[in-house]
Amino acid sequence: MDDIKNINQLLDKWGDSFVGYLPKVALAILIVVVFYFIAKGFKILGLRFYSRVFKKQSDVAKLISVIIYFFFLLSGMFIALEVLGLESVLTKLLAGAGIVGIVAGFAFKDIASNAFAGFLLNMQRPFKKGDWVDIDGTFGTIEDIGGITTSIKTISGQEVFVPNQLIYNNTFTNYSTFGKRRVIFKSGVSYGDDLDLVRRASLEEVDKINAVLKNEVIDFYFTEIGSYSYNFELRFWIKFTHQKDYLSAMNEIVMRIKKRFEEEDISLAYAVTTLDFGVKGGVNIFDKPIHFEANKNNV
């Protein structure tokens, strides 16, 4: 009988506690529902606002609106737990989440870094699909900017995946940014050539190339007196949309320079040996024939 009486008393106590707890439960549910609608409303407003701010980056606007949504939703849940008097549970949950976060941080450090770098790439947009780039020694066109990696199609036809973190940790080159590219042709001529003629002939041949941008300056400079040549650089701009534009321009200037130099009797420099016969600067054995006279006393 005593056991039955104790059970009845315990049930009565639980019933009174439950009835007294119902208002808190109702208030907690109300708070969660209210914050749900608040979160949803701010998500819509945030999406509209940031879609105007980031007109070309719709993914960024969506990401920010989702972050706003979960911020208000989690805030409502935390307040509801405090209303129910479950602060200790909340504290344990946060502590557990912190420990898990530390472990996960070490485990997924590289993934998180690459994901954040991908987010920055989508915000900054340093390149887009189809751009010609050189990233970490990989040259080709951008195929896709993903959340973790960026894929590049190389000129040999392979697809290379570059971690986004690597892009922000190193310098990279975008050849398509300005829609034009500079061709730099380097060569040298022999010591016996007329340098004024070399300069004039080179500039005239560049001006004949159709791909050259006429509104840009064409530069010609003698850069150094080398061990066997006067070295020079010839620089000009071309319209650039594809790597073949650059290769075609370089191919044409090489062919034109060779042909014109042959017509003007200008010698392209190459490594030779010169013999000094008392002539200032020496004599190139390929420039002039060498005649030997027999000594009659030594037959």
Side-chain angles (χ1 to χ4, degrees):
M1 294 294 294
D2 292 336
D3 292 337
I4 295 173
K5 185 177 180 180
N6 290 333
I7 293 173
N8 290 331
Q9 290 178 351
L10 182 60
L11 292 174
D12 291 337
K13 185 177 180 181
W14 282 0
D16 294 337
S17 300
F18 179 74
V19 172
Y21 206 67
L22 281 177
K24 293 184 178 181
V25 173
L27 181 59
I29 294 174
L30 179 62
I31 290 172
V32 171
V33 172
V34 170
F35 270 86
Y36 168 76
F37 285 107
I38 292 175
K40 196 172 182 179
F42 273 95
K43 179 183 178 182
I44 295 172
L45 293 174
L47 184 59
R48 291 178 180 175
F49 175 77
Y50 288 106
S51 295
R52 296 175 182 175
V53 176
F54 303 101
K55 293 181 179 180
K56 296 182 179 180
Q57 293 90 21
S58 58
D59 294 337
V60 176
K62 291 178 181 178
L63 179 62
I64 295 176
S65 63
V66 169
I67 293 174
I68 294 173
Y69 173 78
F70 279 104
F71 170 77
F72 282 102
L73 196 63
L74 291 174
S75 297
M77 293 179 63
F78 290 156
I79 294 174
L81 288 174
E82 289 187 7
V83 169
L84 293 174
L86 300 176
E87 297 90 346
S88 59
V89 176
L90 177 61
T91 303
K92 291 179 181 179
L93 287 173
L94 292 176
I99 296 173
V100 173
I102 294 173
V103 175
F106 282 106
F108 302 102
K109 176 175 65 68
D110 291 335
I111 296 177
S113 298
N114 286 319
F116 184 69
F119 169 73
L120 293 178
L121 284 175
N122 281 283
M123 283 190 63
Q124 188 179 3
R125 293 284 180 177
F127 43 72
K128 61 183 183 298
K129 185 176 180 180
D131 283 357
W132 284 89
V133 297
D134 187 345
I135 300 176
D136 193 38
T138 302
F139 179 75
T141 55
I142 296 294
E143 285 291 298
D144 182 59
I145 305 174
I148 304 297
T149 61
T150 295
S151 63
I152 302 173
K153 184 179 181 181
T154 63
I155 55 177
S156 57
Q158 284 80 33
E159 186 175 12
V160 178
F161 293 89
V162 181
N164 291 330
Q165 181 184 4
L166 191 63
I167 298 175
Y168 266 93
N169 287 342
N170 297 278
T171 58
F172 60 88
T173 305
N174 186 348
Y175 292 95
S176 300
T177 300
F178 303 113
K180 61 182 180 179
R181 185 172 174 183
R182 203 171 204 178
V183 179
I184 301 177
F185 173 78
K186 299 180 180 181
S187 188
V189 294
S190 65
Y191 291 146
D193 289 311
D194 184 344
L195 299 187
D196 289 329
L197 178 60
V198 171
R199 183 179 187 277
R200 183 172 68 254
S202 299
L203 292 175
E204 289 176 358
E205 291 305 311
V206 171
D207 198 51
K208 296 176 183 178
I209 299 176
N210 293 328
V212 172
L213 296 177
K214 305 300 181 181
N215 59 329
E216 297 288 347
V217 177
I218 301 173
D219 296 320
F220 182 97
Y221 299 103
F222 284 102
T223 55
E224 64 175 344
I225 301 176
S227 57
Y228 54 86
S229 64
Y230 293 109
N231 298 325
F232 66 87
E233 283 188 11
L234 183 59
R235 302 183 295 189
F236 56 94
W237 291 91
I238 60 169
K239 183 179 180 181
F240 182 81
T241 56
H242 195 278
Q243 176 66 1
K244 65 182 180 182
D245 299 332
Y246 174 82
L247 296 177
S248 297
M250 181 63 79
N251 176 74
E252 187 172 355
I253 191 59
V254 169
M255 296 181 67
R256 285 185 175 277
I257 288 293
K258 180 182 184 298
K259 184 177 179 180
R260 180 64 181 274
F261 279 14
E262 288 176 349
E263 293 174 355
E264 301 288 352
D265 197 25
I266 298 172
S267 300
L268 286 170
Y270 48 87
V272 296
T273 300
T274 59
L275 302 177
D276 193 344
F277 294 99
V279 180
K280 185 177 180 180
V283 176
N284 190 326
I285 62 176
F286 295 103
D287 290 341
K288 298 179 181 179
I290 300 176
H291 300 283
F292 294 94
E293 295 182 359
N295 190 338
K296 296 180 179 180
N297 297 325
N298 296 322
V299 178

